[in-house]
Amino acid sequence: MRSEAHPDDQPSTGNPSDPAGRAYRAKGPTLGKGKACESCRSRRVRCNGVRPTCSNCDQAEKDCVYVDKPRPPASTAALSTKLAGLEERYRMLSEMAAAKTGQEGGRIVVN
């Protein structure tokens, strides 16, 4: 009996046109976005994030510098603020349309 290789038995290439259609998976643990040291970031290599000196900087005998950037406001708070502004704008436009309708005898006139 002949056994055929199943496509899932093949390693993924990470290429979107990969017939297996699997997503690329990074090897080992990864850091969050923006957590790499400046040296690794500029060289575009994977940083393990060890402080005070990551393994790449230790091996290359470079200064390992981490820049802690301020976090943007929480997205729910930003969206709530934007929603409140849009609701206020809608209320004002509705009042303007109602006032215009009253002046024109029930018709809305668009210029």
Side-chain angles (χ1 to χ4, degrees):
M1 184 172 177
R2 192 175 120 196
S3 70
E4 294 184 23
H6 191 271
D8 288 341
D9 294 338
Q10 303 294 323
S12 177
T13 62
N15 187 346
S17 63
D18 184 15
R22 292 187 308 264
Y24 170 78
R25 287 196 180 140
K27 296 174 186 168
T30 59
L31 290 178
K33 182 178 178 183
K35 303 287 186 188
C37 74
E38 293 300 307
S39 176
C40 289
R41 186 176 307 198
S42 67
R43 292 172 41 222
R44 300 189 80 175
V45 296
R46 187 180 308 239
C47 182
N48 65 0
V50 174
R51 292 187 185 218
T53 305
C54 74
S55 60
N56 292 330
C57 290
D58 189 38
Q59 194 173 30
E61 297 180 0
K62 291 189 173 195
D63 290 333
C64 191
V65 178
Y66 289 92
V67 177
D68 294 324
K69 297 178 182 169
R71 296 180 70 181
S75 62
T76 53
L79 290 174
S80 295
T81 303
K82 187 170 186 170
L83 177 61
L86 290 171
E87 286 173 339
E88 176 63 20
R89 185 175 179 190
Y90 175 76
R91 184 191 60 76
M92 290 174 47
L93 290 172
S94 296
E95 289 174 1
M96 289 172 54
K100 192 110 175 153
T101 303
Q103 292 174 357
E104 300 295 328
R107 296 184 298 135
I108 295 178
V109 177
V110 179
N111 294 341

